[in-house]
Amino acid sequence: MKNLHLLLNPLNDENPITVQVLGICSALAVTVQMKPAIVMALSVTVVTAFSNLIISLGRNTIPPRIRIIIQLVVVAFLVIVVDQILKAYVYDVSKKLSVFVGLIITNCILMGRLEAFAMSNKPVESFLDGIGNGAGYGLILITLSFIRELFGSGSVLGYQLVPQSFYDHGYSDNGMMILPPMALITVGIIIWIQRGYNRKLIEK
């Protein structure tokens, strides 16, 4: 039951973006289209899960004074591995993500989970916590990118969803949806809707 809680709670009650307000910068930057957003979500999930696992395995041997340095080294190593895999297998997406994969090392969610959870919990629980928080981050990224790509380009994952007849009758794509400010406004709307349905978040 506890393991299921670790996986599911970050999707809603303790979502890293909409409740803890972490990882906002990358969420705004890589959500113009769904494909790079999905790749970014998977990348952060992998790095969060395995960095949690590695730090948890060594938590009893890591000197407190240099724990942050060790955490950064572990995260940097995993980010480099993920970055190289992306360049090897999905080079076009890697180019679209630009520096943001490298900047996973500065993602607040990673350091937050390492400090708040992995340093004081067992490896399996820490690994599941990393997957849960990565999935919670990814859920918002994918939702945000779906909305932005649909209304900004009329397509999702490159497939045209808005019928041509709409354009023939005067419909046009909303160019503002692909601008960063609209990403922030859309996140705000998602938070508003989430809190409307989940009343216990209002007191937090």
Side-chain angles (χ1 to χ4, degrees):
M1 191 66 184
K2 183 181 178 182
N3 289 344
L4 191 62
H5 176 81
L6 291 173
L7 285 172
L8 299 182
N9 215 38
L11 297 180
N12 188 2
D13 291 352
E14 295 180 6
N15 187 278
I17 294 179
T18 58
V19 178
Q20 302 178 47
V21 197
L22 300 174
I24 290 288
C25 299
S26 59
L28 304 185
V30 303
T31 53
V32 174
Q33 294 180 322
M34 277 194 76
K35 189 175 179 181
I38 292 171
V39 172
M40 187 68 175
L42 291 174
S43 301
V44 170
T45 301
V46 168
V47 174
T48 308
F50 282 97
S51 60
N52 261 14
L53 175 64
I54 293 170
I55 292 299
S56 179
L57 284 169
R59 68 189 187 284
N60 294 326
T61 60
I62 297 174
R65 285 188 176 183
I66 61 170
R67 70 184 191 287
I68 300 295
I69 296 174
I70 293 175
Q71 290 169 8
L72 286 173
V73 169
V74 170
V75 173
F77 168 74
L78 291 170
V79 168
I80 290 170
V81 171
V82 168
D83 188 41
Q84 292 303 306
I85 291 174
L86 293 181
K87 285 179 178 173
Y89 293 101
V90 283
Y91 184 69
D92 58 326
V93 177
S94 173
K95 285 180 67 177
K96 285 182 181 177
L97 289 174
S98 183
V99 299
F100 292 104
V101 171
L103 288 176
I104 290 175
I105 190 174
T106 64
N107 193 309
C108 311
I109 299 171
L110 272 96
M111 296 307 291
R113 299 323 300 168
L114 292 175
E115 275 290 286
F117 199 91
M119 286 296 292
S120 56
N121 285 280
K122 296 178 180 178
V124 173
E125 294 170 350
S126 298
F127 186 70
L128 294 176
D129 177 78
I131 292 177
N133 278 277
Y137 170 83
L139 177 65
I140 300 302
L141 243 66
I142 291 169
T143 303
L144 191 57
S145 62
F146 175 84
I147 296 169
R148 294 184 71 191
E149 186 173 357
L150 177 61
F151 291 103
S153 306
S155 62
V156 171
L157 287 172
Y159 295 99
Q160 194 69 30
L161 291 190
V162 177
Q164 183 58 43
S165 58
F166 280 39
Y167 293 99
D168 294 340
H169 286 82
Y171 176 82
S172 60
D173 296 327
N174 187 342
M176 286 187 66
M177 290 302 294
I178 61 176
L179 300 177
M182 280 308 294
L184 187 60
I185 292 171
T186 308
V187 169
I189 293 172
I190 292 173
I191 292 174
W192 175 58
I193 293 172
Q194 182 188 15
R195 295 194 175 210
Y197 281 99
N198 191 349
R199 307 298 296 179
K200 59 185 174 184
L201 292 178
I202 295 175
E203 285 74 32
K204 292 186 177 181

